[in-house]
Amino acid sequence: MSNPYADLPPRAFWRSGVAMADRSRFPGLYEPRLTLTPATAVATAGSCFAQHISRHLRRAGCVVLDAEPAPAVMPEPVAQAFGYGVFSGRYGNIYTPRQMRQLLEDVLRRRTDPRFVWARDGAYVDAFRPTVEPEGHSSPDEVLVHRTWHLHRVLQMLRRTDLFVFTLGLTECWEDRETGRVFPVCPGIAGGTFNPDEHVFRNFRTTEIIRDLTTIHTHLHRFNPNMQMLLTVSPVPLTATNSGDHVLTASAASKAILRAAADEFVKTTPGTDYFPAFEIVTHPASGGPWFEPNMRSVSAAGVEKVMDIFLSAHGLVAEPAITPPAGPALASASDEDEENVSCDEVLLDAFANHGPQGGVAR
Amino acid sequence: MTARICFLGTSHIAAPRRAWTENSGRWPGVTASFVGGHGDTLLQTEITRGVMRPVSDAARSAFHTLSGVDLVNLDGFDALVLTGCQISLSQAVLVHKSMRWIGLPSLPSAANLPAMKPALVSHAAARASLCAMLDDRLGPVLARHLRSGTNVPLWITSQPRYSIAAAKSDKKHVVPYLLARRMGDGPAISALFDDAAARTASAAGATFIPQHPGTIRQDMFTALTFMRGATRLAVDPDRPQPSNDFIHANARYGALVIDQVVAALTGRAPPTLPDMEPSAE
C-alpha cells in the first residue's frame, strides 16, 4: 500500500536517521541549501558561539572577512582582548536579532549618538560594544570617532559579503526606553549606570524575532543584493535571566523561541538556511555531553563535532589547529578561558550571589 | 651611601662600563660590576641560591672573555641593572607604523579618517600592543629569569635612541622614524614608549629607567654629544666603532646612565647636564 512515508529517505526516520545512524557524522542531518566554497566571502556575527564558526572556517581555508583586522604588529592576545579578529567586525557579541538589526541600521545611516557613550571607571565606552575596549577611551568624543570608523569599516565589509552567518544567542536584552535601542549587556555591568526609569527589560517573542530577521535580511541585501544568510542558534545557555523564571527554563524558552523563529524565517525566505549546531550540542542522541563542567560552555570536542559536520556537509575540511610549541623563555603565556571565547554575557555571573555549595542563594 | 651595582646587558653595557673605568670617582661609595653577553647569552644561565652560572658554552665564553667572571653572585649586590636589553624606541615606531590613535598630531580630520591606511586604534590598544611586544624582549625576559632566583632590586634602562646623525641617513630602518618626526608624532611616540616600558618592566618585577631627557633630540633621537666615539661590548674594548654606528652610545652617555641608577637607588633626582655642549644638532 502506498503512503507518503514509503519513499522518504533514511534521514526522515528516527531509527535510520538517529538511532541506527553514524552519529559521529550524522549523515543527512545538515543538507546545505546555500553555497559555501573556499572562494565564498563569509562574514560572521552573533553570540559567543559564533566565534567558533569564524575560527573553523578560517582553518578550512575559507575567506572570512574582517572589517577591522588587527594591525600587523599587534600581538594576538592583545588583538583578542580588544575584540580584533573575533567576528568579521569589531562589534563584539551580538546576542539578539534586534541588536543585529540596529547595527545594520547604524551602518546604513552612519549614525552615532552621544547618548550612547557609557562612562566606566573614569573612561568612556561604546554602549553597543562596551567590552571591545577593556580600558575604555579618554573622552566621549573619542568613543564617537571610533564608532564612526567602526561603522565605515563594517559597511565596506558587508558590501563584499557573499554569505552572512548569524548565530542567535538570546531573546532577553535591555532597551533604552526613549529610543528603543538595545544593548548587548545590561547598563551598569560593563559601563553606564542602570536606571529603571530609562532602561527596560525586553524578552523578545517569536514574532518579534521573525520580524527582526526579516528586516536584517532586507538590510543585508541593500549592501549586496546577492548576499545569502545562514542562521544558527547558540547552544550556550543563559548566564542569567531577568525573566523571573529559573535560568534553566528561561534558557529553554529562549532557545525554543529562537529556534522556532529561525525555522519559520528560513522556511519562508529564499537564500537562507539553518545549521543545527544547537541540536548537535544539546540533543542526547548526538552523544556527549558536549559541555564543560559548568554545563554552559561548549567543550572543545563539542565544537569540533559541530564544525566537522558543518564543514564536511560543504565538502570542506578544517586543518588541525596549530598549537604553538611550548616556548622557551622568550614566549609569553596567556590564560585560556573557555577556549579563548569572548562572551560579554558571562559578566553577569559576577553579580550572582553564590551560596556555599556553588548555588545561587535566594 | 654605599651601593653595589651590577650591570647586566648586551653590547650597550659598554657605555657605562667605559664611563666607570674612566672616572669611577664620580660616584663615591658606589661599586660597579659589569657582566655582558651578546644576544640572549645571559639567558643561558641558571640561578641557584642567588648565584647565576652559565649553562652553555656561549654563555661561559661570554662571562669569561667579555666580563672576566665565571659566575655572578647576584645576592651580593644592592641593584641589578639590565642595560640595552632590546628595550628600544624602535618598537614604538613599529607600532606607529601600523596604527594611529587619537591625540596624534598627524591624525586626519574626522571627515578624512576613513581613508587613513593605518588602523585607528585606541591609545590603550596601542600601549597594550607595545607592552606585549616589549614583554618578549630580552630585558623583561631576563628580569623574570633573574627574579626567579633573587630578590635584589632590578632596573631596566632604555636603549639609547638612534643618533641624531641617523636623521640624515637613508637606511631603511630609519625611514619610519623620519616619517613619524615629519608628521609631528615624535613626542607622542616617545611618551608611549616610556609609558609602555615602565609598565612592562614593572610587570616583570623591575623598574624602568627612561633615557635621560637631556640626551634626547627631536624626541626620537640621541644628541651627537652622547654618540660620538660610541663604544660597544667587545673582547677588545678599544676597537673603534664604525662611524655609521647610530645605535650605540659613548662613555658620556654611560656616565649619565650610572647617574640615573645611583639617583634611583638614593631616591634623588638625576643630575642635570651643566657641562653639555650647546647643541648644534
Side-chain angles (χ1 to χ4, degrees):
Chain A
M1 195 188 322
S2 171
N3 68 69
Y5 293 89
D7 296 326
L8 291 180
R11 66 195 289 262
F13 297 90
W14 189 265
R15 190 168 72 164
S16 51
V18 177
M20 305 296 289
D22 173 5
R23 294 197 296 274
S24 65
R25 295 187 305 115
F26 259 119
L29 178 66
Y30 172 53
E31 294 187 340
R33 302 198 301 177
L34 306 179
T35 303
L36 172 62
T37 72
T40 307
V42 181
T44 64
S47 69
C48 27
F49 193 76
Q51 298 167 41
H52 299 303
I53 295 175
S54 310
R55 191 178 306 161
H56 281 73
L57 284 174
R58 286 195 177 101
R59 279 170 47 192
C62 292
V63 179
V64 180
L65 299 174
D66 192 345
E68 299 156 279
V73 300
M74 182 178 279
E76 202 279 334
V78 176
Q80 179 152 358
F82 283 80
Y84 289 95
V86 180
F87 301 105
S88 288
R90 228 173 129 236
Y91 25 67
N93 295 121
I94 297 177
Y95 290 109
T96 60
R98 179 64 53 86
Q99 196 190 336
M100 186 74 244
R101 189 187 104 181
Q102 180 176 282
L103 171 64
L104 296 177
E105 288 168 355
D106 284 354
V107 172
L108 285 164
R109 296 168 192 161
R110 318 280 209 285
R111 179 172 61 191
T112 62
D113 190 333
R115 287 177 294 181
F116 299 107
V117 174
W118 282 349
R120 185 181 70 203
D121 301 332
Y124 299 91
V125 296
D126 184 340
F128 302 121
R129 46 179 196 147
T131 58
V132 299
E133 285 293 340
E135 298 176 41
H137 294 283
S138 61
S139 72
D141 283 348
E142 196 171 316
V143 173
L144 297 176
V145 169
H146 276 267
R147 182 153 187 86
T148 302
W149 168 274
H150 167 64
L151 296 178
H152 176 80
R153 292 290 159 135
V154 173
L155 169 68
Q156 302 296 322
M157 180 269 291
L158 288 170
R159 285 175 174 162
R160 297 177 51 208
T161 302
D162 298 320
L163 175 65
F164 189 79
V165 182
F166 182 39
T167 300
L168 308 173
L170 302 175
T171 54
E172 295 186 16
C173 76
W174 291 86
E175 183 183 83
D176 178 66
R177 187 188 298 274
E178 181 186 352
T179 62
R181 291 173 67 77
V182 298
F183 306 109
V185 289
C186 180
I189 302 289
T193 305
F194 180 73
N195 182 341
D197 294 332
E198 295 176 10
H199 303 127
V200 186
F201 176 70
R202 290 293 307 271
N203 198 358
F204 292 110
R205 313 314 304 163
T206 311
T207 50
E208 294 174 299
I209 302 282
I210 294 168
R211 200 179 309 133
D212 283 339
L213 288 172
T214 304
T215 307
I216 289 167
H217 188 249
T218 303
H219 288 334
L220 290 176
H221 280 200
R222 295 172 71 179
F223 300 110
N224 175 3
N226 298 316
M227 199 187 305
Q228 299 180 308
M229 189 173 165
L230 177 67
L231 293 180
T232 64
V233 171
S234 167
V236 179
L238 280 66
T239 293
T241 180
N242 190 58
S243 63
D245 296 331
H246 189 284
V247 68
L248 186 70
T249 50
S251 286
S254 182
K255 300 299 176 180
I257 288 168
L258 292 171
R259 180 66 191 89
D263 194 70
E264 179 69 17
F265 170 73
V266 166
K267 294 271 168 54
T268 57
T269 313
T272 66
D273 201 357
Y274 170 78
F275 170 67
F278 175 79
E279 289 84 338
I280 295 168
V281 173
T282 60
H283 202 284
S286 72
W290 303 115
F291 287 99
E292 297 288 359
N294 66 4
M295 306 301 286
R296 182 174 182 275
S297 309
V298 179
S299 67
V303 173
E304 288 292 326
K305 183 182 178 77
V306 166
M307 293 311 300
D308 281 352
I309 291 172
F310 177 77
L311 292 172
S312 62
H314 285 281
L316 300 167
V317 179
E319 295 297 323
I322 297 170
T323 306
L330 287 173
S332 58
S334 63
D335 292 336
E336 295 230 336
D337 179 28
E338 295 186 4
E339 219 201 12
N340 287 328
V341 166
S342 302
C343 187
D344 300 343
E345 202 209 355
V346 170
L347 295 170
L348 291 170
D349 197 48
F351 295 85
N353 180 15
H354 293 294
Q357 301 304 315
V360 177
R362 293 269 177 193
Chain B
M1 179 214 123
T2 59
R4 299 160 298 170
I5 304 169
C6 181
F7 288 83
L8 299 136
T10 57
S11 55
H12 293 274
I13 202 174
R17 185 168 74 173
R18 178 169 288 181
W20 177 261
T21 304
E22 291 177 355
N23 187 16
S24 62
R26 175 175 169 141
W27 302 281
V30 174
T31 62
S33 301
F34 298 86
V35 180
H38 297 297
D40 69 347
T41 45
L42 290 179
L43 288 176
Q44 298 167 26
T45 55
E46 62 178 10
I47 304 169
T48 50
R49 289 192 285 275
V51 177
M52 181 165 78
R53 291 182 175 82
V55 294
S56 71
D57 289 342
R60 271 187 286 275
S61 173
F63 270 48
H64 187 69
T65 59
L66 298 175
S67 310
V69 298
D70 295 322
L71 53 82
V72 182
N73 179 14
L74 301 172
D75 286 349
F77 293 97
D78 299 306
L80 304 173
V81 181
L82 313 188
T83 302
C85 293
Q86 303 172 338
I87 299 302
S88 149
L89 184 71
S90 62
Q91 299 295 303
V93 173
L94 267 181
V95 166
H96 178 264
K97 199 176 166 187
S98 69
M99 49 186 114
R100 299 283 191 274
W101 54 95
I102 290 173
L104 287 174
S106 69
L107 206 69
S109 63
N112 295 322
L113 207 52
M116 184 175 75
K117 193 173 176 188
L120 177 70
V121 304
S122 63
H123 182 268
R127 186 179 60 204
S129 297
L130 183 53
C131 285
M133 291 160 69
L134 292 173
D135 194 56
D136 279 344
R137 311 299 284 180
L138 181 60
V141 173
L142 182 56
R144 283 191 291 273
H145 179 54
L146 294 168
R147 186 51 77 227
S148 70
T150 181
N151 291 319
V152 175
L154 292 173
W155 309 84
I156 298 177
T157 66
S158 171
Q159 273 190 204
R161 286 155 172 76
Y162 287 171
S163 167
I164 189 74
K168 292 176 183 162
S169 157
D170 58 356
K171 282 188 174 180
K172 192 179 170 187
H173 59 277
V174 179
V175 172
Y177 281 72
L178 303 181
L179 287 173
R181 185 186 64 173
R182 194 180 309 149
M183 297 160 86
D185 291 346
I189 295 170
S190 192
L192 181 77
F193 168 66
D194 283 342
D195 183 13
R199 289 167 183 257
T200 306
S202 176
T207 304
F208 177 64
I209 297 179
Q211 181 169 346
H212 193 298
T215 67
I216 298 173
R217 291 291 175 275
Q218 298 174 16
D219 300 292
M220 305 181 73
F221 298 98
T222 301
L224 271 180
T225 308
F226 301 98
M227 304 300 274
R228 272 197 212 103
T231 183
R232 63 182 295 189
L233 186 66
V235 176
D236 175 10
D238 295 325
R239 191 175 67 180
Q241 279 297 96
S243 59
N244 63 351
D245 180 356
F246 299 142
I247 297 171
H248 295 89
N250 59 22
R252 193 174 187 191
Y253 181 92
L256 288 177
V257 171
I258 300 176
D259 284 348
Q260 287 179 293
V261 172
V262 172
L265 277 170
T266 59
R268 292 197 299 266
T272 54
L273 305 174
D275 60 339
M276 204 180 76
E277 296 164 10
S279 174
E281 300 154 0

